[in-house]
DNA sequence: AAGAACCGCTGACATTTGTCATGCGGCGGG
DNA sequence: CCCGCCGCATGACAAATGTCAGCGGTTCTT
């Protein structure tokens, strides 16, 4: 029997952080050696403890889990990284893998899978939600142009065509054209649906 | 020493659900007798177990935690209710209290507070985040009628007037009127802004 | 029974949004 | 050089959205 797996946990919601730690502590072969509430704190704690694995959320204040993953992977390549997030977005998965993460877990999955995922990752395996992985390969990359992105973003915030035009120094007609194009590319029925769709794919 | 506190837990993210359960199970005086992943399931399980306390998230599929709270409070007034959510919104708090909840906890708070909150609530006390409570008194109350809420919600999802009309068995004109009224009440420029505003205040 | 307060409906109207065809100037590659 | 592409623009039109005034029916008050 090998030694315990030493884990650092990063998650911005304190209650969830504590709960996840409790969940992992149930496992006799895993020990949570430190807890962080944002990316910067996590970086420090990883440096201090050089754990076997870092389990991190993505959307955190100070430093995103993706940035954190990249930095940790660069400086401490022997620390395995598991991203644990709410968002099943192909774009996030792509970036996580590029940042050197070995695992990408969804908070939607049964609690039991977390410990199992940690173990596998520490044995050098990759663990990715199969459905999401499939989607990441299938999914065409972001079809939006930069302009379309800017415009769709503002539209999603409730701005009118006129306001967006002023914002970006464009004519109102042009804004309508871009919006129409974006709606069409995304197969949506109107700007709102288009914005929601793009957001859900991680393109906004 | 009295008997263990029996709790039902409702939370849509399975991993968080499991983790919170693990967190509570650490306490010797609390037992999680059932776990639900949405409001409807929770309702059934409360009926089956008639627990001492129901701990529920707000934003869940099938049935919102607020609706759930109201139903449970109506049918099983002896079940204490704690709302556990990410959102520090005065409107949510207000509605939770109106629905008969005794506790309103934020997922931001330290993990240790959860068990303590559960104990207090079971002793008949109310537990509310003090900062949020203060804000709830300051803020003007929800100006939206139930209809306006239903309609604004759907509008915020990108549905057209026609779709909403079918959804709610109303005429399209009526939908437009309600929407106009809501936009006006909220001081917004259009349905999207109105929906965002209402959401941010916890009125949706 | 009269009035007030709602709720849902209609019709008319102005404005915003979505779609299309088309034009203009700059820029890079054959 | 000339072609084609790209970003931005127009104009014209249909459809969706926002605003208003007003109508009938129900329920609650008085």
């Amino acid at each position: 029997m090998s030694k315990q797996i030493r884990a650092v946990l990063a998650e911005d919601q304190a209650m969830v952080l504590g709960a996840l730690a409790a969940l992992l502590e149930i496992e006799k072969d895993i020990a949570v050696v430190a807890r962080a509430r944002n990316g910067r704190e996590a970086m420090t704690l990883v440096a201090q403890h050089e754990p076997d694995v870092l389990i991190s959320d993505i959307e955190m204040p100070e430093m995103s889990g993706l940035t954190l993953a990249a930095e940790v992977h660069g400086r401490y390549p022997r620390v395995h990284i598991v991203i644990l997030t709410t968002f099943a977005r192909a774009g996030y998965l792509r970036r996580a893998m590029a940042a050197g993460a070995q695992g990408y877990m969804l908070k939607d999955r049964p609690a039991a899978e977390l410990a199992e995922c940690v173990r596998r990752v520490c044995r050098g395996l990759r663990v990715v939600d199969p459905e999401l992985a499939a989607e990441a390969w299938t999914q065409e990359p972001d079809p939006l142009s930069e302009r379309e992105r800017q415009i769709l973003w503002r539209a999603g915030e409730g701005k009118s065509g006129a306001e967006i035009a002023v914002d970006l120094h464009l004519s109102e007609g042009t804004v309508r054209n871009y919006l129409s194009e974006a709606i069409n590319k995304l197969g949506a029925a109107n700007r709102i649906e288009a914005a929601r769709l793009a957001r859900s794919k991680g393109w906004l």
Side-chain angles (χ1 to χ4, degrees), chain A:
Chain A
M1 187 82 203
S2 60
K3 281 192 58 175
Q4 270 193 327
I5 294 172
R6 298 169 59 252
V8 167
L9 201 50
E11 154 72 49
D12 66 329
Q13 295 191 315
M15 182 107 37
V16 176
L17 174 57
L20 287 170
L23 184 64
L24 284 171
E25 290 284 9
I26 291 176
E27 312 291 327
K28 295 156 303 296
D29 58 336
I30 302 178
V32 177
V33 297
R35 309 172 185 193
R37 295 203 50 195
N38 62 60
R40 195 165 313 291
E41 213 180 301
M43 195 62 222
T44 309
L45 293 172
V46 166
Q48 267 175 39
H49 294 88
E50 290 219 27
D52 300 302
V53 61
L54 163 65
I55 304 160
S56 174
D57 193 5
I58 291 186
E59 304 199 345
M60 293 184 296
E62 299 287 327
M63 186 193 286
S64 144
L66 294 173
T67 318
L68 172 64
E71 289 226 8
V72 168
H73 186 65
R75 295 200 219 165
Y76 308 95
R78 288 171 34 195
V79 177
H80 299 94
I81 300 173
V82 173
I83 294 295
L84 174 61
T85 175
T86 304
F87 306 102
R89 294 179 187 167
Y92 275 1
L93 171 56
R94 236 180 250 264
R95 285 163 64 195
M97 289 300 146
Q102 282 87 32
Y104 192 99
M105 268 265 114
L106 296 177
K107 287 186 183 169
D108 254 354
R109 311 294 308 174
E113 289 185 20
L114 180 57
E116 200 43 41
C117 164
V118 167
R119 289 190 196 102
R120 283 179 200 242
V121 163
C122 286
R123 269 191 272 133
L125 302 172
R126 293 185 173 276
V127 180
V128 174
D129 186 88
E131 222 172 305
L132 186 57
E135 191 196 330
W137 287 133
T138 313
Q139 194 204 348
E140 83 280 34
D142 187 346
L144 298 174
S145 74
E146 194 48 35
R147 269 296 191 221
E148 286 161 355
R149 203 187 323 288
Q150 297 172 335
I151 290 175
L152 198 51
W153 168 273
R154 286 165 174 79
E157 291 199 304
K159 298 206 182 188
S160 70
E163 287 174 308
I164 299 175
V166 172
D167 241 37
L168 301 180
H169 309 289
L170 293 176
S171 92
E172 200 180 328
T174 303
V175 170
R176 287 224 296 287
N177 286 341
Y178 277 119
L179 229 18
S180 179
E181 184 62 18
I183 289 168
N184 173 42
K185 277 183 181 174
L186 298 176
N190 55 52
R191 52 177 71 192
I192 313 176
E193 208 186 305
R196 289 175 62 88
L197 234 161
R199 233 192 286 283
S200 80
K201 301 261 191 177
W203 293 336
L204 260 194

